[in-house]
Amino acid sequence: MNKKYIMTPGPTAISEDVLLEHARPLMHHRTPEFSEIFSAVTKKLKKLMKTENDLFILTSSGTGGMEAAITNAFSKGDKVLVANLGKFSDRFAKISKVFGLEVISLDYEWGNPINPEDIKEMLDKNPDIKGVMFQFCETSTGITNNAEAFGNIVKNYNAISIVDAISGIGASDLQADNWNLDIVIGGSQKALSAPTGAAFISVSDKAWKLIEKSNIPRFYFNLLDAREAASRKPPQTPWTPGISIIVAMNKALDMLFEEGLENAFRRHAILAKTTQKAVEKIGLELFVKDEDARSSSVTAVMVPEGVDGKKITSMMRTKYGVQIAGGQGKLKGKIFRIGHLGWFGIFDTIIAISALEMTLKDLGYGFDFGEGVAEAQKVFYENSYLE
Amino acid sequence: MNKKYIMTPGPTAISEDVLLEHARPLMHHRTPEFSEIFSAVTKKLKKLMKTENDLFILTSSGTGGMEAAITNAFSKGDKVLVANLGKFSDRFAKISKVFGLEVISLDYEWGNPINPEDIKEMLDKNPDIKGVMFQFCETSTGITNNAEAFGNIVKNYNAISIVDAISGIGASDLQADNWNLDIVIGGSQKALSAPTGAAFISVSDKAWKLIEKSNIPRFYFNLLDAREAASRKPPQTPWTPGISIIVAMNKALDMLFEEGLENAFRRHAILAKTTQKAVEKIGLELFVKDEDARSSSVTAVMVPEGVDGKKITSMMRTKYGVQIAGGQGKLKGKIFRIGHLGWFGIFDTIIAISALEMTLKDLGYGFDFGEGVAEAQKVFYENSYLE
């Protein structure tokens, strides 16, 4: 008997209630039954993003949503700025290059947040920049960027902001309209804790103007087709959607709104803090030094000297059944990442820290058993999100 | 109480067994547990396609698979031939044009199959054609094309064959290797009766040669990335896959192989014949006149004179709970289509015919009650696929 616990920064564990909805008998996508759910999910996702902009659900992983943003918003040769500080911002740069854009990559040492002033400076220097792309939460490093500052800078220029909020939205407050974020991308499988396979994307009026004159070839991800299909009565998708995923998202969103968005953000912040303090207590170092830049979705931890980083994640999974994530790209073996987002509560954190302690003991790292767990309990008790 | 029956040419009803698999707790996609299922599904899909070629699962609808075929296999300005005889072959032409290909559209009156000799003639006349695209089953008209003849013609030219087998595969025999089909596209939601949201695509050596030199920009659907990820140990996908869909497909494929592929093809053929004879018995005319070209997946029926075609499908759904499909594009209101594929047996056909009879009676079409149902029973009894 080895119970399994998923504690990665996505995909995240799915609640029984959402799984049961996921398993509902097929509704054909051209029926009033499904149309009602489809419209409701679209509306709820807009509420989650705090936006009145158009929003579309795509049947793809989050990367498909990123490609949709880039291929729709720009034209060949357009200059774009990518705030590059991790694996996923680098993906923005890669996709942009593939589709013929001129990419200015504003590179930061991984683990550091972007300084919004740098964005402003680049935009002043390059008034022909058409778009600025960044991650709300950069999953590979556990950084949260100041999307509010970014959006409010970019709005003053002849450029749009594109935000990959896939691992951030639902865990941290994002206000697409108040912060002037033109295109925001989310995914089903992160803080929503719904099954993998759906992305969603919001589009502002400023972005539509670019989309309408874009000359990059696109078909499956063409947002003009998505807009046309959504304008039908009842609203539709241009292609067959991931029906069971959308049905599951409907339930997941209901659960999130039942908790209350602000409560959910607070819960995630407390779980993040609890995790951070607990790993520090057992002598480990957090990867992100700037406390304000630490994400509520995922905590990146430095592998302690003398310990094989790859063994931490593999032993936690095989011996204790607890799946966390290792480092990606150049951080492989140097950090590990504990996800604490979605359908995740304090006792999940206790499990994560407890499994980490036992694994580190297995690997010969010296400290007193239970210190991390005790710290997690103490920090949580003082900041509890429970009533 | 109004029990619902889905009898469209896809998405198709999902069995309880597959739904329960679909609702299994999330397996992270980077775990041995999922890798095993992922490899097994890939292997089973190759068995279904009767191919040793590479095969990839994409997280998208079937249209994404069509885009993947076109954007990977060709380069800008390439000449391609589309055998155009319905809504979905027309989609091949549209996608090709969007991505800058020169399209020769070999147009047929909808409802007629393609004559393979015409393909040969076009290839002889245009030796620079790089690819020939056609539907195995054209869902919009209920036509099955002779994929064997096509493949064996195209193999002799400097061109590849691309087959949309989305609504055909699993219902009718398709032998990718024996018939020299270079790229074959399938979907999760048709004869497999698994949830919507996954496509799969096979690629021959001849096709890889084109793919390796293609210059059409692509990212999410880049098959070179899919091949690289699949070559890792254990095999992976470049982006997060539709995990719960693949898990459900695994069960659906097991059920299909338990029945036996040849038995499943025979079952579909008998259900098609039963449906055809029953609707003819009540005086309706089949849309496809050429008996050999009628698909095993879906039967297209002419709306009888004096009856409002749109009312047939809407009344069947709202009054009787039976969802069939109307005509698409220029066939709207002129035909209706009864799907009989996937998790579908003789008593589903009896329900379809019975609901159709009652609906036609409601709409004032004159005939004797039960004639169609009796004919369905008779034809089935003489050709039963049951032991």
Side-chain angles (χ1 to χ4, degrees):
Chain A
M1 212 285 291
N2 190 346
K3 285 179 79 169
K4 302 254 189 325
Y5 302 90
I6 293 184
M7 297 176 169
T8 63
T12 56
I14 306 171
S15 70
E16 293 89 343
D17 288 332
V18 171
L19 286 175
L20 286 173
E21 281 293 301
H22 194 41
R24 277 177 67 174
L26 175 79
M27 271 173 272
H28 196 280
H29 57 295
R30 306 284 196 222
T31 54
E33 291 85 349
F34 180 72
S35 292
E36 199 177 303
I37 290 178
F38 177 68
S39 297
V41 171
T42 304
K43 212 169 146 183
K44 289 170 196 174
L45 288 172
K46 287 166 80 161
K47 188 174 162 191
L48 173 67
M49 274 199 187
K50 302 189 174 174
T51 187
E52 298 291 321
N53 289 335
D54 291 319
L55 183 142
F56 307 101
I57 301 167
L58 307 172
T59 301
S60 74
S61 77
T63 301
M66 293 167 80
E67 173 168 322
I70 291 166
T71 56
N72 278 274
F74 303 114
S75 291
K76 282 171 218 165
D78 275 359
K79 195 183 275 186
V80 293
L81 178 65
V82 174
N84 201 334
L85 72 172
K87 188 188 164 190
F88 291 94
S89 37
D90 198 47
R91 185 168 294 171
F92 263 149
K94 276 189 182 142
I95 301 174
S96 299
K97 282 176 198 158
V98 161
F99 290 100
L101 306 185
E102 187 188 331
V103 177
I104 306 179
S105 185
L106 187 60
D107 296 332
Y108 290 81
E109 190 62 42
W110 288 20
N112 294 312
I114 311 163
N115 181 354
E117 283 305 309
D118 295 345
I119 301 282
K120 192 174 178 313
E121 197 186 313
M122 293 304 283
L123 284 166
D124 283 333
K125 266 195 213 157
N126 299 275
D128 54 344
I129 285 175
K130 290 278 172 47
V132 178
M133 302 178 215
F134 58 93
Q135 269 56 35
F136 181 39
C137 169
E138 169 55 64
T139 321
S140 65
T141 62
I143 283 277
T144 286
N145 282 312
N146 187 342
E148 180 174 11
F150 284 32
N152 287 328
I153 288 169
V154 178
K155 78 162 178 186
N156 299 314
Y157 294 83
N158 193 19
I160 60 166
S161 48
I162 298 185
V163 192
D164 161 7
I166 296 169
S167 68
I169 197 155
S172 305
D173 189 23
L174 180 138
Q175 305 182 17
D177 288 359
N178 286 341
W179 301 352
N180 295 289
L181 304 173
D182 294 301
I183 295 186
V184 182
I185 306 148
S188 53
Q189 80 287 13
K190 303 280 189 178
L192 284 189
S193 278
T196 61
F200 45 95
I201 184 166
S202 72
V203 181
S204 74
D205 288 342
K206 192 176 178 187
W208 276 126
K209 290 204 181 77
L210 287 184
I211 292 172
E212 280 154 11
K213 60 184 187 190
S214 159
N215 67 7
I216 295 180
R218 58 197 188 273
F219 192 86
Y220 184 72
F221 291 122
N222 194 335
L223 294 177
L224 294 171
D225 287 337
R227 180 168 70 173
E228 187 280 315
S231 73
R232 292 180 217 156
K233 306 228 173 296
Q236 296 180 352
T237 50
W239 330 119
T240 306
I243 297 169
S244 61
I245 305 169
I246 293 170
V247 170
M249 285 168 82
N250 193 36
K251 182 68 185 174
L253 285 158
D254 282 346
M255 288 169 68
L256 195 60
F257 291 124
E258 204 176 313
E259 176 180 13
L261 271 188
E262 309 309 317
N263 292 335
F265 302 149
R266 198 170 143 251
R267 168 171 58 86
H268 282 91
I270 293 169
L271 293 174
K273 196 183 175 98
T274 306
T275 305
Q276 291 158 16
K277 294 289 178 197
V279 297
E280 283 184 327
K281 187 72 183 182
I282 54 179
L284 303 181
E285 200 182 326
L286 296 170
F287 181 62
V288 177
K289 311 307 172 205
D290 177 348
E291 209 170 321
D292 294 335
R294 287 179 194 150
S295 142
S296 286
S297 302
V298 50
T299 294
V301 185
M302 309 282 289
V303 171
E305 215 154 316
V307 174
D308 181 344
K310 282 175 201 160
K311 279 200 181 145
I312 296 179
T313 49
S314 70
M315 183 175 284
M316 276 183 77
R317 180 172 56 73
T318 53
K319 186 161 178 186
Y320 298 103
V322 176
Q323 170 96 23
I324 61 167
Q328 293 175 298
K330 58 186 172 192
L331 293 177
K332 204 165 266 188
K334 292 184 182 154
I335 64 165
F336 60 88
R337 295 169 299 145
I338 302 171
H340 31 68
L341 74 167
W343 190 56
F344 205 99
I346 179 58
F347 298 109
D348 295 305
T349 300
I350 298 288
I351 289 168
I353 299 301
S354 170
L356 177 63
E357 285 195 5
M358 291 195 266
T359 300
L360 288 172
K361 189 71 84 182
D362 285 327
L363 295 174
Y365 176 78
F367 66 101
D368 287 335
F369 248 147
E371 281 189 348
V373 173
E375 181 72 6
Q377 289 186 266
K378 182 170 159 283
V379 173
F380 179 76
Y381 202 80
E382 287 164 3
N383 299 276
S384 171
Y385 58 80
L386 301 171
E387 300 284 300
Chain B
M1 213 283 294
N2 189 348
K3 285 179 80 169
K4 300 254 190 326
Y5 302 90
I6 292 184
M7 296 177 171
T8 63
T12 55
I14 306 172
S15 70
E16 294 89 343
D17 288 331
V18 172
L19 286 174
L20 286 173
E21 282 293 302
H22 194 40
R24 277 177 66 174
L26 176 78
M27 271 174 273
H28 196 280
H29 58 295
R30 306 284 197 221
T31 56
E33 291 86 348
F34 180 72
S35 291
E36 201 178 303
I37 290 177
F38 177 67
S39 297
V41 171
T42 304
K43 214 168 144 184
K44 289 170 198 175
L45 289 172
K46 287 165 80 161
K47 189 174 161 191
L48 173 68
M49 275 200 188
K50 302 188 176 174
T51 189
E52 298 292 321
N53 288 336
D54 291 320
L55 184 142
F56 307 101
I57 301 168
L58 308 172
T59 301
S60 74
S61 79
T63 300
M66 295 167 79
E67 173 167 322
I70 291 166
T71 56
N72 279 274
F74 303 114
S75 290
K76 282 172 215 162
D78 275 359
K79 196 184 274 185
V80 293
L81 178 65
V82 174
N84 201 332
L85 72 174
K87 188 188 164 189
F88 291 94
S89 36
D90 198 49
R91 186 168 293 172
F92 262 148
K94 276 189 183 142
I95 300 174
S96 299
K97 282 176 197 156
V98 161
F99 290 100
L101 306 186
E102 187 189 331
V103 177
I104 306 181
S105 186
L106 186 60
D107 296 331
Y108 290 81
E109 190 61 41
W110 288 21
N112 294 313
I114 310 163
N115 181 355
E117 284 305 310
D118 295 345
I119 302 282
K120 193 173 175 314
E121 196 186 314
M122 293 303 283
L123 284 165
D124 284 332
K125 265 195 217 159
N126 299 275
D128 54 342
I129 286 176
K130 290 280 173 48
V132 178
M133 301 179 215
F134 58 93
Q135 269 56 35
F136 181 38
C137 168
E138 169 56 65
T139 322
S140 64
T141 63
I143 283 277
T144 285
N145 282 312
N146 187 343
E148 180 175 10
F150 284 32
N152 288 328
I153 287 169
V154 178
K155 78 162 177 186
N156 300 313
Y157 295 83
N158 194 19
I160 59 165
S161 48
I162 298 184
V163 192
D164 161 6
I166 296 168
S167 68
I169 198 156
S172 305
D173 189 22
L174 180 138
Q175 305 181 18
D177 289 359
N178 286 340
W179 301 351
N180 295 288
L181 304 173
D182 294 301
I183 294 185
V184 182
I185 307 147
S188 53
Q189 79 288 13
K190 303 280 188 176
L192 284 188
S193 278
T196 62
F200 45 96
I201 183 165
S202 72
V203 181
S204 73
D205 288 341
K206 193 177 177 185
W208 277 125
K209 291 204 181 79
L210 287 184
I211 292 172
E212 280 154 11
K213 59 185 190 191
S214 158
N215 67 8
I216 295 180
R218 58 198 187 271
F219 191 87
Y220 185 71
F221 290 122
N222 193 335
L223 295 178
L224 295 171
D225 288 337
R227 180 167 71 171
E228 186 280 316
S231 73
R232 291 181 216 156
K233 304 226 173 293
Q236 295 180 353
T237 50
W239 330 120
T240 306
I243 297 169
S244 61
I245 305 170
I246 292 171
V247 170
M249 286 169 82
N250 193 34
K251 181 70 184 170
L253 284 158
D254 283 346
M255 288 169 68
L256 195 59
F257 291 125
E258 204 177 311
E259 176 181 12
L261 272 189
E262 309 310 316
N263 291 336
F265 302 150
R266 200 170 141 250
R267 168 170 59 86
H268 282 90
I270 293 169
L271 293 174
K273 195 182 173 100
T274 305
T275 306
Q276 291 158 16
K277 293 291 178 196
V279 297
E280 283 185 327
K281 189 72 181 179
I282 54 178
L284 302 181
E285 200 182 326
L286 295 170
F287 181 61
V288 177
K289 310 306 172 206
D290 177 348
E291 211 169 319
D292 294 335
R294 286 176 194 152
S295 141
S296 285
S297 303
V298 50
T299 295
V301 184
M302 309 279 292
V303 171
E305 215 155 313
V307 175
D308 182 344
K310 282 176 201 158
K311 279 202 181 144
I312 296 179
T313 49
S314 71
M315 185 175 283
M316 276 183 77
R317 180 172 56 73
T318 52
K319 185 160 177 187
Y320 298 104
V322 175
Q323 170 97 21
I324 61 167
Q328 293 175 298
K330 58 185 170 191
L331 293 176
K332 205 166 263 186
K334 293 186 182 153
I335 65 166
F336 58 88
R337 295 169 299 145
I338 303 171
H340 32 68
L341 77 167
W343 189 56
F344 205 99
I346 178 60
F347 298 109
D348 295 306
T349 301
I350 299 288
I351 290 168
I353 300 300
S354 170
L356 176 63
E357 285 196 6
M358 290 195 267
T359 301
L360 288 172
K361 189 72 84 183
D362 285 327
L363 296 175
Y365 176 76
F367 66 102
D368 287 335
F369 246 149
E371 280 188 349
V373 173
E375 181 71 5
Q377 289 185 264
K378 183 170 159 282
V379 173
F380 179 76
Y381 202 78
E382 287 163 3
N383 299 276
S384 171
Y385 58 79
L386 301 171
E387 302 282 302

